[in-house]
């Protein structure tokens, strides 16, 4: 159905306007390739990889799919220019950014034919990156997982759509075909989903950890700055509750230990970690204690997401985890979303003409079930 083919499909070279977002320790080659093969845009998360690991991951992803995919970068990483050069050499289709990249980085990628998609949480940020030449923008509302803001998607999305003239990807609270249709109705060109793709059989997150997500309700999350000084949404666990109650001095000690562990895991040099921390402090006007606390994030996420120890780490999540109750493959998930979206669109078209898809008067949108 033409209603599901948007400018985003042409921009990325994909069949459906569905994006699997880059999630540290989660979206590796297997999940990224599975999403791409199912017709969406899969995105590798590189922030938790060394440069050498990213190179291997890109090539492994290409072994698993011939479809376009993307790589998520940190604009403030010390070696961001080297990583951009790697994407260009490897002919990666899309570069996404968790933080707004500088104008010169956008220009470098665009000159090489790489599509640039920053993520934003405010209208003014979308306007800024659009003026710098970004090809599209992903806007995440407060329902989303990880670092997030206070404005819900239903209020933030129309603001951004009205403010920029590039394709907008809606993120935060999406998991099914009804959400895709709703995003399109707001003027978005597609949806981005993290938690929904995390909870697939193609995700490398341990099954026991996935079960914690599946048992969660929409109220079993918490937004806190206790982890790294910046508000982010986490699944509520005894460990997270204890972390929220912990004083900043004790968190600071944990941060130093986590930074040392992250350095060992990735091979990063201390000078690079210090340089990155100072860059974060300048770019985001963070006090020194928040820069120190930020060292917690990578290893606490790894403990839960990779090692399967939520008692020793944290689980990033969107509120939408409370609405998810199964673990389909990426192919099954995207087929389900597309089928339901088409049914909803057909039902709405029938309502508009006074007839249901089968010809009966007064029909209602089909496909309301999430199963």
């Amino acid at each position: 159905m033409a209603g599901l083919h948007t400018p985003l499909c042409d921009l990325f070279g994909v069949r459906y306007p569905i994006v699997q977002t880059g999630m540290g320790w989660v979206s590796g080659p297997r999940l990224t390739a599975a999403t791409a093969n199912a017709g969406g845009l899969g995105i590798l998360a590189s922030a938790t990889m060394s440069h050498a690991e990213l190179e291997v991951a890109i090539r492994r992803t290409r072994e698993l799919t011939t479809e376009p995919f993307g790589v998520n970068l940190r604009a403030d990483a010390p070696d961001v220019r080297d990583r951009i050069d790697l994407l260009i050499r490897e002919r990666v289709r899309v570069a996404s950014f968790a933080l707004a990249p500088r104008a010169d980085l956008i220009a470098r990628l665009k000159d090489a034919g790489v599509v640039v998609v920053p993520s934003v949480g405010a209208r003014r940020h979308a306007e800024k990156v659009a003026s710098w030449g970004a090809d599209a923008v992903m806007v995440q509302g407060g329902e989303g997982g990880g670092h997030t803001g206070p404005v819900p998607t239903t209020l933030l999305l129309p603001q951004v759509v009205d403010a920029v003239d590039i394709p907008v990807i809606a993120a935060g609270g999406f998991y099914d075909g009804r959400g895709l249709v709703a995003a399109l109705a707001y003027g978005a060109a597609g949806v981005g989903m993290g938690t929904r793709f995390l909870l697939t059989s193609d995700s490398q997150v341990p099954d026991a950890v996935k079960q914690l997500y599946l048992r969660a309700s929409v109220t079993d999350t918490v937004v806190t700055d206790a982890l790294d000084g910046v508000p982010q949404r986490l699944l509520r666990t005894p460990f997270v509750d204890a972390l929220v109650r912990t004083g900043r001095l004790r968190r600071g000690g944990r941060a130093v230990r986590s930074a040392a562990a992250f350095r060992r895991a990735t091979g990063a040099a201390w000078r690079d970690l210090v340089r990155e921390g100072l860059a974060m402090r300048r770019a985001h006007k963070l006090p020194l204690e928040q820069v120190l606390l930020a060292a917690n994030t990578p290893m606490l996420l790894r403990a839960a997401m990779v090692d399967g120890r939520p008692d020793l780490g944290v689980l990033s999540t969107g509120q939408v985890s409370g609405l998810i109750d199964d673990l389909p493959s990426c192919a099954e998930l995207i087929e389900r979303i597309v089928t339901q979206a088409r049914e909803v669109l057909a039902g709405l078209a029938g309502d508009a003409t006074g007839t249901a898809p089968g010809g009966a008067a007064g029909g209602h949108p089909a496909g309301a079930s999430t199963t």
Side-chain angles (χ1 to χ4, degrees):
M1 181 176 290
L4 293 184
H5 187 94
T6 74
L8 209 63
C9 299
D10 297 326
L11 184 64
F12 296 157
V14 298
R15 296 196 300 277
Y16 306 120
I18 299 171
V19 178
Q20 163 251 305
T21 60
M23 298 168 280
W25 306 118
V26 176
S27 47
R30 187 174 76 181
L31 180 61
T32 300
T35 302
N37 287 332
L41 180 75
I43 297 180
L44 280 171
S46 76
T48 52
M49 299 178 187
S50 66
H51 185 280
E53 288 170 336
L54 175 57
E55 187 170 8
V56 171
I58 290 173
R59 292 177 180 174
R60 177 56 180 158
T61 304
R62 187 156 285 124
E63 291 172 357
L64 297 173
T65 184
T66 59
E67 302 296 330
F69 63 90
V71 171
N72 182 256
L73 301 171
R74 282 189 56 178
D76 57 356
D79 63 347
V80 65
R81 289 186 175 277
D82 293 335
R83 291 176 183 245
I84 285 175
D85 290 342
L86 173 61
L87 266 60
I88 293 170
R89 286 198 310 273
E90 293 293 332
R91 299 182 183 276
V92 172
R93 181 63 174 259
V94 177
S96 72
F97 287 88
L99 301 171
R102 301 189 307 273
D104 62 306
L105 299 182
I106 294 176
R108 172 77 176 113
L109 287 160
K110 286 175 63 71
D111 287 346
V114 181
V115 177
V116 181
V117 185
S119 295
V120 300
R123 171 179 173 167
R124 67 182 184 278
H125 298 151
E127 292 172 331
K128 178 184 295 184
V129 296
S131 70
W132 288 347
D135 296 291
V137 65
M138 180 177 293
V139 53
Q140 177 179 299
E143 301 94 325
H147 294 118
T148 194
V151 182
T153 305
T154 52
L155 300 179
L156 182 59
L157 178 58
Q159 287 185 48
V160 176
V161 167
D162 290 345
V164 301
D165 58 1
I166 57 177
V168 175
I169 305 164
F174 297 98
Y175 72 109
D176 66 0
R178 295 172 299 180
L180 174 56
V181 172
L184 298 179
Y186 271 112
V191 295
M193 302 185 300
T195 304
R196 176 64 274 195
F197 278 106
L198 184 157
L199 294 174
T200 62
S201 60
D202 294 304
S203 162
Q204 64 189 21
V205 173
D207 286 340
V209 173
K210 292 177 183 176
Q211 293 303 318
L212 291 178
Y213 280 93
L214 295 181
R215 291 196 294 269
S217 73
V218 292
T219 59
D220 286 334
T221 68
V222 59
V223 177
T224 177
D225 66 356
L227 185 59
D228 63 2
V230 181
Q232 60 180 298
R233 187 178 297 280
L234 306 170
L235 198 65
R236 187 182 291 279
T237 64
F239 180 88
V240 169
D241 288 340
L243 186 68
V244 171
R245 294 193 300 268
T246 300
R248 288 195 178 273
L249 285 178
R250 290 181 61 192
R251 291 182 210 156
R254 178 183 286 117
V256 173
R257 295 191 295 274
S258 295
F262 184 64
R263 185 189 68 82
R264 291 192 298 270
T266 63
W270 276 111
R271 64 179 179 276
D272 289 336
L273 291 178
V274 171
R275 186 184 305 120
E276 182 175 337
L278 292 175
M280 288 175 59
R281 189 181 185 190
R282 288 193 300 270
H284 308 295
K285 299 180 174 60
L286 298 179
L288 187 58
E289 68 173 13
Q290 290 191 341
V291 173
L292 182 63
L293 288 171
N296 275 303
T297 304
M299 297 315 295
L300 291 182
L301 284 169
R302 176 175 175 167
M305 298 291 195
V306 179
D307 300 334
R309 295 295 304 272
D311 57 320
L312 299 176
V314 298
L315 301 167
S316 182
T317 186
Q319 274 187 295
V320 75
S321 58
L323 301 177
I324 297 172
D325 60 7
D326 63 351
L327 300 170
S329 67
C330 289
E332 292 167 338
L333 173 63
I334 290 181
E335 180 181 5
R336 178 195 304 175
I337 291 173
V338 169
T339 297
Q340 187 183 39
R342 286 172 172 164
E343 290 173 348
V344 171
L345 286 171
L348 292 172
D351 281 346
T353 60
T355 60
H364 295 285
S369 172
T370 62
T371 60

